[in-house]
Amino acid sequence: GPIAQVAEGRTAPVRTYQDLLQDSHDADLFEMIATSQLLVARFDENLRFTVDRKVGSPTMLASVDPSPDGKHFLVEITKRPFSYLVPSGDFPKSVEVWSADGRMEYRLANLPNSERVPIGGVLPGPRSERWHPLEDATLVWAEALDGGDPKAEVPHRDKLMVLPAPFSGQPVEMTRVKHRFSGLQWFETGLAVISESDRDTRETTTWFLQPGKEPVKVWQRSSADRYGNPGSFVSEQNARGQSLIMVSEGNAYLRGPGSSPTGDRPFLDRFDIATHKTERIFQSPEGAYENVVALLDDKATRLLIDRESTTEPSNYYLQTATGRRALTNFKDPAPIFRNVRKELVKYKRADGVDLSFTLYLPPSYQEGTRLPTIMWAYPREFNDAGTAGQVSGSPHRFTSVGGTSPLFMVLEGYAVLMDATIPIIGDPETVNDTFVKQLVDSAAAAIDKAVAMGVTDRNRVGVMGHSYGAFMTANLLAHCDLFKAGVARSGAYNRTLTPFGFQSERRTLWEAPETYWNISPFMNANRINEPMLLIHGTNDNNSGTFPMQSDRMFAAIKGNGGVARLVFLPYESHGYSAIESIEQTHRETIDWFDKYVKNAK
């Protein structure tokens, strides 16, 4: 029958999603598949279970969470009418509290679909609902004070509300936050840890909130500041299965990546809850990469450690006050990669921004030999140059290669500039206005550094990327002549087909038409004079990267007399899983770069 949709004169800026319902038949199928029955089961000593009872009637349950005392269920129920514009997680929902036998005791929210949520906004009404872990049955949730609109000028964006069983009274306001609520944890004492995020500055603020007292600020930092990351509180489950922050004698524990100019060195800190002072009790040593997987007691005297180095595969160790004992002995799955040279390389962009890449050289590399080179990258947005230039990752990690990793190109005689940093720096509202220039300048700096090191032949450099990295690849081929060829996987190339934003772009096509046009390689296909290989999964489910994007990009290059090849991988989504698809991707990539980069005239 006919398929109809309605616009009712209200703004509805929806991102470009895939795999959506197409018609009423799809809607009926979805309802059938999404409908389920909640059961309570009992396990015997042999872990065999039998159904004890049914709870409620079959319905479209999206989530179920039992209360700490086991007498209630917090449920989300998907409702009609479904949407043809947003995925199922954004369909209308009823948030309810059920009794143990499935009787509805309280309806917390009746939420519409998210079609009208502003870009970067949230639905009005209750969200992020959960049980208070220290109470028998008390609801806690966040609620927008700005109507869910991040552009609204208000003194506080969110409030936190609480409502205890029997859910017959009025909810009580727990606190308000200036920016968007982003996290909530609890100590056994009732002290709450609340996080909020500022969309404009990308700053995160963490507060301690004791009932009946004013909030106390613990940290305020840029979420992009890797060097200043204090870590995350280590949690544990209490007797009722509720997650609480682990505490020992007035101290909690913080586990973090330990990013630094020389790479990541994960750490474990002891945190004094009263003074907020920290004491480092573990940090990865130089020359290796060690990470605390778990604390095996509340005094951190027994730690489960994951250790690896450039020559040692990842293995688990038990560390105690008396020493360390190996728990696993996983072997090197690909010994040939132990002869691959690996080095963290730092350099500067023309505007002074610090950049880096990890250089990989073939096992047989001889000093002074200039090699054909592949640059692999993924652009990221930052507010300032300081955080954009910070190093991430570690040069001391075990080189583990699998799937469609570009590192396999090292075994084909290429130097690989892995994860070359491509920071796009500026005001979050307009940062993409200078996307192309910053992109080209970053790529040029990477190539210049590799050439200066004596490892790269400037006339034989290729570029490749996946998703937003594919978008980057096409733009570099269109706007510079630094590369001999490119490989773009699962990308989006025409930004007019993602008109309500992409990546971190906040403006719509109609608000910034020149930017959408200028950074779309599809609009500059006539300028792509280097060979370009496009690979895409036929069932790509990622927002914005429709397979049609590669199809039309190929047609645009071909129509303008360019050199291109288009490969669709059957049944694959945004990433590729089947061994046939992985082997095909490598074969295509090797052949392409051998022909147009390694053996380029």
Side-chain angles (χ1 to χ4, degrees):
I3 301 168
Q5 298 187 58
V6 177
E8 299 174 320
R10 290 180 287 181
T11 303
V14 178
R15 296 274 185 169
T16 311
Y17 297 107
Q18 301 190 154
D19 293 348
L20 303 175
L21 301 183
Q22 299 295 314
D23 51 37
S24 59
H25 179 61
D26 271 2
D28 291 342
L29 285 175
F30 174 81
E31 181 171 5
M32 179 192 72
I33 295 168
T35 299
S36 58
Q37 171 69 63
L38 181 60
L39 305 173
V40 173
R42 295 186 183 277
F43 288 81
D44 63 18
E45 64 275 8
N46 296 316
L47 296 183
R48 293 178 302 221
F49 75 90
T50 55
V51 174
D52 183 52
R53 68 183 188 276
K54 294 181 179 180
V55 179
S57 302
T59 189
M60 288 185 284
L61 289 170
S63 68
V64 179
D65 185 18
S67 61
D69 65 4
K71 296 180 180 179
H72 312 270
F73 294 99
L74 176 61
V75 300
E76 280 192 359
I77 301 171
T78 303
K79 298 173 58 181
R80 285 183 180 262
F82 303 143
S83 172
Y84 294 161
L85 296 178
V86 295
S88 61
D90 293 326
F91 286 176
K93 284 186 176 63
S94 178
V95 183
E96 303 171 0
V97 177
W98 287 2
S99 63
D101 59 4
R103 176 177 47 84
M104 191 184 77
E105 299 176 293
Y106 178 70
R107 177 173 281 120
L108 175 62
N110 227 342
L111 302 174
N113 70 47
S114 65
E115 289 181 10
R116 298 187 185 91
V117 173
I119 294 173
V122 298
L123 274 173
R127 71 178 198 282
S128 301
E129 62 279 352
R130 65 196 72 190
W131 293 112
H132 193 308
L134 299 173
E135 304 291 342
D136 286 341
T138 295
L139 291 174
V140 182
W141 68 89
E143 198 164 329
L145 293 167
D146 57 4
D149 185 355
K151 295 184 178 181
E153 296 289 337
V154 293
H156 296 91
R157 295 220 172 269
D158 278 339
K159 61 182 178 180
L160 289 180
M161 307 295 291
V162 287
L163 178 65
F167 318 109
S168 56
Q170 289 298 312
V172 176
E173 186 173 307
M174 178 179 165
T175 190
R176 294 188 174 200
V177 289
K178 183 178 180 180
H179 303 295
R180 191 66 73 207
F181 165 76
S182 58
L184 177 63
Q185 291 178 282
W186 302 86
F187 288 94
E188 187 75 54
T189 59
L191 180 67
V193 183
I194 300 170
S195 299
E196 58 175 306
S197 300
D198 185 344
R199 175 177 179 265
D200 295 328
T201 64
R202 294 194 174 103
E203 281 194 335
T204 296
T205 307
T206 301
W207 304 86
F208 278 177
L209 179 63
Q210 193 76 42
K213 297 183 179 180
E214 287 295 312
V216 176
K217 185 186 294 185
V218 185
W219 301 297
Q220 185 171 1
R221 51 176 289 271
S222 168
S223 59
D225 180 13
R226 291 185 285 265
Y227 296 173
N229 185 351
S232 302
F233 285 110
V234 176
S235 62
E236 61 180 351
Q237 285 191 336
N238 65 9
R240 297 204 289 190
Q242 302 299 306
S243 178
L244 295 170
I245 296 172
M246 180 183 285
V247 177
S248 174
E249 299 176 348
N251 295 304
Y253 298 97
L254 291 166
R255 183 168 48 195
S259 299
S260 73
T262 59
D264 290 353
R265 294 179 61 197
F267 66 83
L268 179 70
D269 282 353
R270 184 178 284 113
F271 176 87
D272 189 306
I273 299 170
T275 66
H276 302 176
K277 292 181 179 179
T278 59
E279 173 194 359
R280 187 135 302 176
I281 56 178
F282 172 88
Q283 183 152 29
S284 176
E286 291 280 6
Y289 183 87
E290 294 186 2
N291 187 40
V292 176
V293 178
L295 281 68
L296 303 181
D297 60 43
D298 62 3
K299 291 182 172 54
T301 59
R302 300 173 70 245
L303 303 176
L304 180 61
I305 304 293
D306 181 14
R307 174 186 167 85
E308 59 185 279
S309 71
T310 55
T311 58
E312 303 169 83
S314 172
N315 272 289
Y316 292 109
Y317 295 82
L318 173 63
Q319 179 169 305
T320 65
T322 58
R324 178 178 287 191
R325 176 167 62 88
L327 301 177
T328 61
N329 186 26
F330 302 125
K331 303 298 183 182
D332 187 343
I336 190 172
F337 277 99
R338 276 353 96 211
N339 297 319
V340 169
R341 286 179 49 182
K342 178 181 180 181
E343 178 184 355
L344 175 64
V345 179
K346 296 188 282 187
Y347 52 100
K348 288 185 181 293
R349 201 163 69 180
D351 58 2
V353 175
D354 291 320
L355 305 177
S356 65
F357 58 69
T358 302
L359 173 66
Y360 291 83
L361 295 172
S364 59
Y365 178 72
Q366 295 183 351
E367 203 71 38
T369 305
R370 292 195 179 273
L371 299 174
T373 299
I374 303 300
M375 186 185 87
W376 172 273
Y378 190 97
R380 299 187 186 278
E381 298 83 4
F382 296 88
N383 281 35
D384 61 88
T387 54
Q390 292 182 352
V391 174
S392 64
S394 169
H396 305 302
R397 300 200 70 169
F398 185 75
T399 302
S400 181
V401 185
T404 56
S405 170
L407 290 182
F408 281 108
M409 297 301 294
V410 174
L411 303 184
E412 301 296 323
Y414 292 82
V416 176
L417 314 184
M418 191 69 181
D419 297 325
T421 49
I422 309 284
I424 310 299
I425 306 167
D427 186 310
E429 294 292 337
T430 58
V431 64
N432 281 323
D433 292 354
T434 57
F435 178 88
V436 171
K437 176 172 173 49
Q438 294 194 61
L439 186 69
V440 173
D441 287 352
S442 297
I447 295 173
D448 288 346
K449 181 63 178 180
V451 170
M453 293 176 68
V455 300
T456 290
D457 178 350
R458 186 182 295 277
N459 296 313
R460 293 188 297 161
V461 182
V463 59
M464 65 184 298
H466 190 97
S467 194
Y468 206 51
F471 174 69
M472 169 206 75
T473 297
N475 263 307
L476 286 171
L477 297 183
H479 295 288
C480 70
D481 292 312
L482 297 169
F483 302 98
K484 297 293 288 187
V487 175
R489 303 187 330 212
S490 300
Y493 311 103
N494 182 350
R495 286 302 167 198
T496 69
L497 298 180
T498 56
F500 291 106
F502 55 90
Q503 212 69 2
S504 66
E505 177 58 58
R506 299 175 178 180
R507 299 165 296 179
T508 69
L509 166 65
W510 299 274
E511 293 171 322
E514 289 187 6
T515 296
Y516 273 71
W517 182 280
N518 292 336
I519 68 173
S520 292
F522 178 82
M523 308 304 179
N524 297 279
N526 60 317
R527 302 177 61 181
I528 297 178
N529 53 13
E530 298 88 8
M532 181 172 167
L533 169 64
L534 297 114
I535 302 176
H536 216 123
T538 58
N539 293 5
D540 192 333
N541 67 345
N542 186 57
S543 174
T545 54
F546 290 92
M548 177 181 67
Q549 289 271 6
S550 288
D551 189 41
R552 302 320 300 157
M553 187 67 198
F554 170 76
I557 297 173
K558 182 176 181 179
N560 281 283
V563 177
R565 177 175 170 85
L566 172 62
V567 178
F568 277 121
L569 302 175
Y571 310 114
E572 294 293 356
S573 185
H574 192 57
Y576 317 141
S577 301
I579 190 170
E580 296 88 348
S581 301
I582 292 169
E583 291 178 344
Q584 185 76 28
T585 298
H586 286 306
R587 183 74 270 158
E588 296 282 351
T589 303
I590 292 167
D591 288 351
W592 196 257
F593 281 140
D594 279 358
K595 181 176 182 179
Y596 293 112
V597 175
K598 181 189 287 187
N599 301 314
K601 296 180 181 179

